[in-house]
Amino acid sequence: MTRKLYQEDVYKKECESTVVEVQGAGTADDPYVLVLGETVFFPTGGGQPCDLGTIDGIPLTGVFEKDGMICHQLLPQGNPDLIPAPNWKDGSRVACVLDWNRRFEHMQRHCGEHILSGIFFRECGGVNRGFHMGSGYMTIDIDVPGITREDALRIETMTNEVIWANVPVTTRHYAHRSEAEKLPLRKALAIDEDITIVSVGDVDNPADCVACCGTHPSTSGQVGLLKILKLESYKGMTRVYFKAGKDALEDYQNKHRILAELNLKYSSDDNDLSEKMKVQEEKNKEIRQELYLMKNTLIGKAASEILNKYEAAEEQTDNTSVTTPGLLIREYPYFRANDLLSITKILTEKLTGSKPLIVLVSTRETLVILASSGKHDCGKIVKDNAHVWRGKGGGNAAGARVMFPSRDDLDCFIIFIKQAYHTTR
Ligand SMILES: [Zn+2]
């Protein structure tokens, strides 16, 4: 069995250790795994991620427990030719240095989870059935459905009160189940022997008391802060998202920054930000409505201009030599693709006699819309020709769109269209 120094002194940040076994070849596919006689590194387990740090200056990539032995996975990084290969063998002495900042944050977060779970148990009888500690938030699954926001806020305050009280966090070992069961445990024991019980606060009336092999600070005050983020229904339970310790402080700092930016933007303070955003939203809604009406008017006008011209031309074709053109090109500086599509929709519905190839250009989007209700296949025109001028798009026989990377490319495409399709009916 590896001697777990983190259980004897959770604040021990480095140690010398004896190599029990060396596995692996130090490559990416087959990294070194050192089995050590004693270690300061906590292995992944119980929902808590493993410690990291260095052994003989080489960074750890993982720590895990196997049959009571702690295994340390290492991978020399950078140029392996410049890094001397470690000369590890069974019995070698190695220097272990813990990444203390990472460990302490884990201790803060993990202990915060203890207190929060303990208070949920005390206040609503809910047992924590699942725990997740990710790189961002943590979650616990409390086996009571429908915990309200108000309940959660009350429990969050109580949890922070335990943190402020700076009560001791103690770890006790029990050889047999019968002794451990005398304590006010939050959760039934899963093992019968060699049990570690963690208590937060007064042993007779603890904020939390549960079996746990993780790492914890010696007092609750070191957790610093705990904040519940949200509640979610989960398999008949309530999933509670929260943050604790430095992670919670960083979250607060980030949210404060976002809030300060919004207050600057809306000339507000924290209290009237929401109201000022609502007022701005209303104004935006009105402006969007006005814009919609004005655009529709412009679209109608653009379509009428073309229709009037065609109707006049068609009246003349009955008794004169004047013919309607087979190609119609218009360019608009302010319309977008969707606006041009609205124009082509009106045109293809109303141009009953003449069936020209309609080509509408959006200057602001460097884009061309083609439409035809007659003899042209717009999709094919785009597919066969637009790529010559780096145009990207497509469509079907009745309509197609193509976007160009530059105005010059678009102009070349239009010149081509004029040459190829400028026929008369
Ligand atoms: Zn624990």
Side-chain angles (χ1 to χ4, degrees):
M1 297 277 276
T2 301
R3 189 174 154 199
K4 298 168 177 170
L5 299 176
Y6 54 85
Q7 285 184 346
E8 298 170 20
D9 177 5
V10 80
Y11 293 94
K12 198 171 175 58
K13 299 175 182 70
E14 47 187 76
C15 73
E16 275 217 348
S17 182
T18 307
V19 175
V20 175
E21 191 186 345
V22 184
Q23 300 166 358
T27 62
D29 297 335
D30 187 19
Y32 289 122
V33 174
L34 291 189
V35 184
L36 298 180
E38 53 277 299
T39 188
V40 286
F41 299 111
F42 176 78
T44 299
Q48 187 175 332
C50 71
D51 287 335
L52 293 177
T54 59
I55 295 180
D56 284 353
I58 293 177
L60 272 164
T61 51
V63 183
F64 56 94
E65 185 167 6
K66 197 175 172 189
D67 302 327
M69 302 304 291
I70 310 286
C71 305
H72 306 71
Q73 185 177 291
L74 301 113
L75 187 61
Q77 293 176 339
N79 185 348
D81 296 335
L82 296 176
I83 299 171
N87 190 24
W88 293 320
K89 53 183 184 285
D90 299 359
S92 294
R93 294 291 285 170
V94 290
C96 304
V97 178
L98 181 64
D99 177 347
W100 171 249
N101 290 339
R102 174 183 163 95
R103 153 72 80 73
F104 186 64
E105 282 174 40
H106 287 169
M107 283 161 51
Q108 287 186 306
R109 299 173 78 200
H110 178 69
C111 190
E113 180 259 321
H114 270 285
I115 304 168
L116 183 65
S117 300
I119 305 289
F120 264 113
F121 180 63
R122 190 184 77 195
E123 291 300 309
C124 59
V127 175
N128 173 3
R129 298 290 175 193
F131 170 51
H132 169 76
M133 187 197 279
S135 56
Y137 56 81
M138 293 181 278
T139 61
I140 48 174
D141 297 329
I142 303 295
D143 65 356
V144 172
I147 293 174
T148 63
R149 207 175 110 81
E150 290 69 30
D151 282 341
L153 275 174
R154 192 168 51 83
I155 286 166
E156 174 186 285
T157 302
M158 287 172 167
T159 301
N160 281 288
E161 282 166 356
V162 173
I163 294 171
W164 305 333
N166 201 24
V167 293
V169 179
T170 48
T171 304
R172 292 182 182 79
H173 300 277
Y174 297 88
H176 300 289
R177 183 188 191 102
S178 53
E179 298 163 53
E181 277 178 338
K182 288 175 190 159
L183 298 162
L185 295 172
R186 155 159 68 87
K187 212 168 169 179
L189 295 171
I191 48 173
D192 294 323
E193 291 179 340
D194 193 22
I195 300 158
T196 306
I197 301 290
V198 174
S199 302
V200 180
D202 184 2
V203 179
D204 298 324
N205 183 26
D208 191 34
C209 181
V210 73
C212 183
C213 293
T215 54
H216 315 86
S218 56
T219 53
S220 63
Q222 291 170 66
V223 172
L225 169 68
L226 184 138
K227 182 78 191 88
I228 292 177
L229 307 176
K230 65 170 178 174
L231 306 169
E232 209 173 73
S233 291
Y234 178 74
K235 294 184 176 175
M237 301 183 282
T238 303
R239 176 162 282 183
V240 183
Y241 291 74
F242 65 103
K243 282 177 179 271
K246 188 184 172 199
D247 194 35
L249 174 66
E250 285 174 349
D251 186 53
Y252 181 36
Q253 288 167 336
N254 188 42
K255 288 189 163 90
H256 188 79
R257 181 186 58 74
I258 294 168
L259 209 54
E261 279 173 14
L262 287 172
N263 281 331
L264 195 65
K265 185 177 169 184
Y266 288 96
S267 307
S268 57
D269 57 36
D270 292 0
N271 296 318
D272 67 359
L273 172 63
S274 155
E275 188 51 39
K276 291 210 169 170
M277 283 176 84
K278 244 185 242 168
V279 169
Q280 188 59 48
E281 187 60 33
E282 278 303 312
K283 271 188 197 163
N284 290 348
K285 213 168 135 187
E286 274 174 35
I287 291 168
R288 280 200 300 272
Q289 183 67 17
E290 275 174 28
L291 188 67
Y292 174 79
L293 293 172
M294 286 165 81
K295 250 192 178 177
N296 271 359
T297 308
L298 286 173
I299 287 167
K301 277 192 171 169
S304 299
E305 177 265 319
I306 297 167
L307 286 170
N308 291 341
K309 193 177 168 196
Y310 266 70
E311 277 162 13
E314 289 203 331
E315 277 169 18
Q316 290 175 30
T317 53
D318 297 336
N319 47 21
T320 70
S321 62
V322 175
T323 57
T324 54
L327 175 64
L328 182 162
I329 300 178
R330 289 288 188 283
E331 177 169 339
Y332 302 98
Y334 38 79
F335 286 144
R336 290 175 179 276
N338 284 344
D339 307 322
L340 300 184
L341 287 171
S342 301
I343 298 173
T344 59
K345 190 164 179 285
I346 299 170
L347 294 181
T348 47
E349 277 170 9
K350 295 201 171 168
L351 282 174
T352 48
S354 166
K355 296 190 187 302
L357 174 62
I358 302 166
V359 180
L360 305 184
V361 176
S362 163
T363 311
R364 63 187 296 190
E365 291 186 328
T366 335
L367 168 137
V368 179
I369 297 286
L370 288 88
S372 169
S373 53
K375 58 187 178 182
H376 302 290
D377 183 336
C378 300
K380 190 168 175 355
I381 295 171
V382 168
K383 187 167 179 260
D384 291 349
N385 306 291
H387 65 88
V388 177
W389 299 284
R390 302 184 292 161
K392 286 205 166 81
N396 55 30
R401 72 165 72 187
V402 53
M403 193 177 249
F404 292 93
S406 75
R407 180 69 213 203
D408 285 348
D409 290 307
L410 186 148
D411 286 341
C412 289
F413 179 71
I414 295 297
I415 290 167
F416 159 75
I417 291 282
K418 280 179 179 166
Q419 286 169 352
Y421 297 95
H422 193 62
T423 55
T424 52
R425 192 178 63 150

